[in-house]
Amino acid sequence: MTRFAEDELTCDAFLGGKLHLWQPRRGRGYRAGVDPVLLAATVPAQSGETVLELGCGAGAAALCLGARVPGLRLTGCELQPAYADLARRNGGQRLEVVEADITAMPLHLRDRQFDHVLANPPYFDRAASVQSRDPGRERALGEATPLRDWVRIAAKRLKPKGQAHFIHRAERLPELLAALPHEMGSIEVQPLSPRPGRHPELILMRARKNGRGAFRLYQNLIMHKGARHLRDGDSYVPEIEAVLRHGAPLDFPAS
């Protein structure tokens, strides 16, 4: 599929309406959830800096970051033509979209280095999980390119002292750490739990090229109020609510 038909799309509000993104309708493809929004909220970018999102999909993470920090130079790399087309539509002049496999980027992208590289790699190793029937969702959720390659490529695209940023499943943290090249340091990990008393399901991780800071594992951040789901509605804690509804940053404790 090179592009979605208009009746296959919805235009959805993010960050309390500060950003609107065209996405496939439910059941027609991959739709961005809270994960890329949370990832974007942790990036301590400053106006004028350069940002690359690997596997940008429709552009959710990069554009959420751009909505919070004006003046960034945003680039996304996306393999699937239909999603690259959506990212261009969503980003306009704000987002440069390169349609390519992250393992085979064109030379003009491989020749560049960035202040920040962010990625929300596919979460599931399909050797131990069930494949989605939708090709777009499968590309977004099922791991085709090994996780270690996402980490290696992110590190290569960084300027000295640049930062790589990831969100992933908590059980894959050992793989993320093991994949970091030797020049990546100042590693910080923020676990995320859905509710009090629950183990972390997600982690946010960042590392700095040529960083020399100590490894930091922060206290678990709870996302929802209450021990269990009682009714429809998101019931986010105020810190997460501020990120999702108002475009606030999500600072790591040491930031």
Side-chain angles (χ1 to χ4, degrees), residues 187-243:
I187 302 162
E188 301 174 86
V189 178
Q190 174 65 71
L192 299 171
S193 286
R195 296 186 182 276
R198 300 269 294 272
H199 291 299
E201 292 185 0
L202 297 174
I203 57 93
L204 290 153
M205 186 187 86
R206 68 185 180 206
R208 187 179 297 277
K209 195 167 193 174
N210 309 127
R212 296 185 178 182
F215 174 81
R216 295 182 182 273
L217 175 62
Y218 297 118
Q219 183 176 346
N220 192 22
L221 178 61
I222 307 299
M223 293 181 61
H224 293 272
K225 303 172 186 174
R228 59 192 178 93
H229 179 80
L230 297 175
R231 64 185 182 278
D232 289 341
D234 43 32
S235 68
Y236 290 110
V237 301
E239 188 174 7
I240 300 298
E241 177 84 11
V243 169

Side-chain angles (χ1 to χ4, degrees), residues 29 50 60 83 123 129 157 159 167 193 203-204 248:
T50 54
Y83 290 87
Y123 284 163
S129 58
R157 296 277 61 79
K159 296 178 180 179
I167 187 167
S193 286
I203 57 93
L204 290 153

Side-chain angles (χ1 to χ4, degrees), residues 64-247:
C64 282
L65 176 57
R68 178 170 62 84
V69 184
L72 296 174
R73 288 172 284 170
L74 302 170
T75 302
C77 183
E78 172 54 40
L79 172 63
Q80 300 184 81
Y83 290 87
D85 181 70
L86 286 180
R88 293 188 188 98
R89 180 174 179 177
N90 288 327
Q93 297 299 313
R94 298 171 294 171
L95 177 65
E96 172 195 9
V97 180
V98 178
E99 187 180 315
D101 191 319
I102 65 167
T103 64
M105 293 179 183
L107 183 60
H108 72 85
L109 189 54
R110 286 186 280 122
D111 278 346
R112 294 160 61 187
Q113 291 185 307
F114 297 81
D115 295 294
H116 298 276
V117 177
L118 53 152
N120 180 185
Y123 284 163
F124 301 106
D125 180 351
R126 287 313 189 203
S129 58
V130 178
Q131 183 172 335
S132 172
R133 289 177 292 179
D134 179 85
R137 283 181 57 80
E138 179 55 28
R139 276 288 182 184
L141 300 175
E143 183 178 291
T145 299
L147 183 56
R148 63 180 179 274
D149 288 347
W150 287 81
V151 177
R152 175 184 58 83
I153 292 164
K156 287 188 70 173
R157 296 277 61 79
L158 285 172
K159 296 178 180 179
K161 299 299 182 180
Q163 284 186 309
H165 310 263
F166 299 93
I167 187 167
H168 217 290
R169 300 285 297 176
E171 64 263 27
R172 313 253 351 233
L173 176 59
E175 294 174 67
L176 281 167
L177 293 172
L180 284 169
H182 66 88
E183 70 269 21
M184 298 296 291
S186 302
I187 302 162
E188 301 174 86
V189 178
Q190 174 65 71
L192 299 171
S193 286
R195 296 186 182 276
R198 300 269 294 272
H199 291 299
E201 292 185 0
L202 297 174
I203 57 93
L204 290 153
M205 186 187 86
R206 68 185 180 206
R208 187 179 297 277
K209 195 167 193 174
N210 309 127
R212 296 185 178 182
F215 174 81
R216 295 182 182 273
L217 175 62
Y218 297 118
Q219 183 176 346
N220 192 22
L221 178 61
I222 307 299
M223 293 181 61
H224 293 272
K225 303 172 186 174
R228 59 192 178 93
H229 179 80
L230 297 175
R231 64 185 182 278
D232 289 341
D234 43 32
S235 68
Y236 290 110
V237 301
E239 188 174 7
I240 300 298
E241 177 84 11
V243 169
L244 300 180
R245 303 292 177 249
H246 306 293

